[in-house]
Amino acid sequence: MKITNKQFGEFEFSKENILHFKNGLFGFEEYKSFLLIKSENDLFFWLNSVDQPELIFPLVGLRIIDDSYPQNDETEAFGIVTLNSDPNNTTVNLKAPVYINQDKKEGFQTIIDHDKYMVNYKLFVED
């Protein structure tokens, strides 16, 4: 299978690598199939819609930010990153994590109802 987008160009993938999101992502409920992409030198993972190849979300593993971040069994929590031309304004959403089970090829997004977790957590801090 192949998809093409401006971010990665044309690339091939195996059907077995598709992650299924039963309810989609908030605001994008109609898209249920995604690929989780990570290149060697890239800071982020990329969640790329198979149904709409130009729909791509940069993700970061939330345990890197907070080692006590809530986890679900067999899943890993990721935060959707909002990129900015000024890296100091790049943020990650800790309030609505994306949980992915790479073994079962399933994912879901939920809301963490706790004031500790911000929607616009600054990913980089200037010294």
Side-chain angles (χ1 to χ4, degrees):
M1 299 178 80
K2 290 182 183 177
I3 59 174
T4 303
N5 60 43
K6 291 178 185 172
Q7 178 80 19
F8 300 108
E10 180 179 283
F11 64 97
E12 291 188 40
F13 63 95
S14 169
K15 186 177 180 179
E16 292 79 34
N17 291 331
I18 296 175
L19 302 172
H20 300 280
F21 285 73
K22 181 180 173 185
N23 298 317
L25 298 173
F26 298 143
F28 301 93
E29 289 82 1
E30 67 271 34
Y31 304 113
K32 314 282 188 195
S33 300
F34 290 86
L35 296 171
L36 185 64
I37 300 167
K38 175 80 167 115
S39 60
E40 285 184 30
N41 298 321
D42 205 340
L43 176 64
F44 302 114
F45 292 85
W46 301 89
L47 192 62
N48 198 134
S49 171
V50 174
D51 307 314
Q52 180 58 264
E54 294 297 338
L55 183 62
I56 307 168
F57 299 96
L59 303 178
V60 65
L62 295 179
R63 283 287 175 116
I64 292 172
I65 296 169
D66 180 351
D67 62 5
S68 65
Y69 195 86
Q71 300 290 309
N72 283 341
D73 293 338
E74 303 175 357
T75 63
E76 184 175 355
F78 294 89
I80 295 177
V81 175
T82 301
L83 299 171
N84 189 289
S85 58
D86 179 353
N88 292 319
N89 293 325
T90 297
T91 62
V92 60
N93 186 340
L94 301 179
K95 188 66 118 180
V98 175
Y99 286 97
I100 295 175
N101 181 325
Q102 294 193 55
D103 292 330
K104 292 183 178 177
K105 302 298 180 201
E106 297 174 344
F108 64 94
Q109 188 175 25
T110 190
I111 293 176
I112 303 291
D113 188 21
H114 193 289
D115 292 340
K116 176 180 177 182
Y117 302 112
M118 304 165 50
V119 173
N120 294 312
Y121 178 84
K122 288 201 175 210
L123 194 53
F124 304 110
V125 178
E126 191 172 355
D127 288 333

